[in-house]
Amino acid sequence: MSEVQQPQAFQAEVRQLLDIVVHSLYTDREIFIRELVSNASDAMEKLQHLQATEKSVYQADKEFKVEITTDEEAKTLTIQDFGIGMTRDELVENLGTIAHSGTKAFLEAAKEQGNDPSALIGRFGVGFYSVFMAAESVKVFTHSWREDAESLVWESDGVSGYTIEEATDAERGCKLVIQLKDEHKEFATEDRVKDVLKRYSNFVQFPIFVNGTRVNEVEALWLKNKSDITDEQYTEFYKFAGHAFDEPRYRMHFSADAPLAMNALLFVPDDNMERMGFGQTEPAVSLYCRRVLIDEKPEGILPEWLRFLKGVIDSADLPLNISRESMQDSALVKKIGDVVTKRFLKFLNKEAEKDSAKYKEFYERFNRFIKEGLITDYTHREALMKLLRAESSMNDAGELTSLADYVTRMKDGQEEIYYQLGSSRDVIESGPYVEGFKARGVEVLYFFEPIDEYVFNQLSEFDGKKFVAVNSASAKVDEMDTTSEDERQALSDDDMKAVTDWLKETLGDKVGEVRSGKRLVSSPAAAMTSADQISPQMRQMFKTMGQDAPDGGKVELELNPRHELIKELAKARETKPELAKLLGEQLFDQSLLSAGLLEDQRGLVERGLKIMEAALRS
Ligand code: ADP
């Protein structure tokens, strides 16, 4: 027992790993505590399982807990668990060699990464060996759960090798006595250690004590059964985990076994902080592996447009230990993100069906994120479209409708979904475009936000129906019957042809085509954009950015053969050609103006004055 053992050498890979851990890892040093507590918790969980099947377990009545003590003077940190412990062979196997293929892969990746492997290690930890980021030497006192096992102490300075000797009366489990390096003696202070535990190990299922005081009070709610959790508990958890003071607007709690084992508890906060003028929200869905925090604000798990969510994703399939790639590139992590995103979109859709008023409140605050998703996230576009809402020509101001509802209200023979962009309902409805649709009982959706322009640049159809802007020349509304008694005294086709030909000649290159149309009701004329032409809103956007908008096709002018002004114009063309020319030009500019397409307003004013003069003279 007293015989001094020759140190045994670490496996070459262990030495390599230790070298990286000790020499290159400067950030996140504190995670070694997380790693050790997680090992302790694992060891007790394993024993729990064993106890169900094994009859005899050494010191079977030991309580499951992690006991941590700090000694500032001696610069030691002691972490003790009452788990399965290790036999001599297990000590050699587990702490002297690297069994995981993941670790080997890590070493290769670290070599490629060159000077900064901390980016790789920091996120996943390096298991037991991370202790040497702070330790001068470590003793592991252990007794396996097997009755006939020895009391042993494993000791190493983390450089070349370790010794294993017999110990006296080691308790079942493991007790790690960590002699800290002078520069890392902070980890022998109670407050520092408590701090780290609160951060990473708050939800560990076994009680953790630091110098006799319990530190982890909070349950890992996401692993419990929904039916065992009250609303108050959920809200309390949200406030705690999300560092929040508000009440969550929605919560989604689910678990899945396939394709991945995971539990997720997600919250939508009361309001969108970006909307309230705060900067871009940081991702706040933390990633856990079996109750132990891996990353509090992981990027790249959920799509960026879901950054307003708070909560927890826990997957037992994630390696707490180092992974093959860094987290962002991990296929596993991507998969987790995808599963959660799909579930969340489905959840929102259901909530919207269940309580549309509640969804409306959510939508008013968070629609930007949905639209951002529609623009940037092709994978989830279909599901996102179901969440889109808009005001409509058929509803009162302020009421919202979905695309699916629009489709159910489409008229016989209607094949397209009509929408109009504009700064407000009034602006849209006072323009010339919507009236023809209204007259035919065809619904038009209204969108008011600048971002909607980008959305419709991306979307082409919903449910097989194309999106068409009402100011687009291709809108097929002319072909539909009007409901109003409309054909009253319209100009004849011949007369209209004469007027449109004349006006086209008068306006020359400024206009693509002048034609008679049935779309207009109370307006004499309207400018229509062609499909390849950029919209007025987009044009404005280019202008604010100080750029020239690309020149698309030309505007078309549609004249209303039923309007008095057009009828008078047809006459004036022959009787007062000078004035008719002025009027024609004025009509065109005014149409451009209400379409938001008029760039130079001087002509409009000068001509207006001349027309007034003429009116007074006659
Ligand atoms: P990992 O925990 O990812 O397997 P570690 O390097 O942290 O990697 O630990 C290696 C192995 O050592 C563990 O798999 C486990 O078998 C054993 N081990 C570590 N800590 C303990 C402990 N407190 N009790 C029992 N076994 C342990």
Side-chain angles (χ1 to χ4, degrees), residues 201-217:
S201 308
N202 222 330
F203 302 106
V204 166
Q205 63 169 323
F206 301 103
I208 303 174
F209 294 89
V210 174
N211 299 333
T213 321
R214 172 105 191 238
V215 289
N216 61 331
E217 302 284 0

Side-chain angles (χ1 to χ4, degrees), residues 483-529:
T483 49
S484 56
E485 20 73 67
D486 222 12
E487 294 312 316
R488 33 160 197 169
Q489 295 139 19
L491 273 187
S492 72
D493 288 352
D494 284 351
D495 285 346
M496 275 312 283
K497 178 154 176 21
V499 181
T500 50
D501 285 353
W502 163 79
L503 193 53
K504 166 66 189 154
E505 209 181 301
T506 306
L507 296 172
D509 274 354
K510 286 190 277 184
V511 70
E513 191 191 339
V514 181
R515 56 180 159 77
S516 170
K518 292 185 184 171
R519 200 187 302 194
L520 304 173
V521 179
S522 60
S523 308
M528 303 290 170
T529 55

Side-chain angles (χ1 to χ4, degrees), residues 39-40 42-43 46 81 84-86 94-95 100 126-129 174 176 321:
N39 280 350
D42 285 352
K46 282 179 195 159
D81 67 66
I84 52 171
M86 281 180 270
N94 295 338
L95 304 187
H100 334 272
V126 282
F128 173 80
Y129 303 110
C174 282
L176 278 62
N321 226 303

Side-chain angles (χ1 to χ4, degrees), residues 428-452:
I428 290 175
E429 294 202 324
S430 64
Y433 300 106
V434 177
E435 53 187 36
F437 292 82
K438 275 194 165 170
R440 290 168 174 82
V442 175
E443 183 170 11
V444 178
L445 298 175
Y446 302 161
F447 291 91
F448 308 136
E449 315 250 350
I451 192 175
D452 297 326

Side-chain angles (χ1 to χ4, degrees), residues 321-340:
N321 226 303
I322 46 180
S323 89
R324 183 176 263 282
E325 309 98 341
S326 72
M327 196 154 70
Q328 270 110 326
D329 310 323
S330 151
L332 186 66
V333 167
K334 282 223 167 69
K335 188 148 211 170
I336 291 176
D338 198 50
V339 171
V340 175

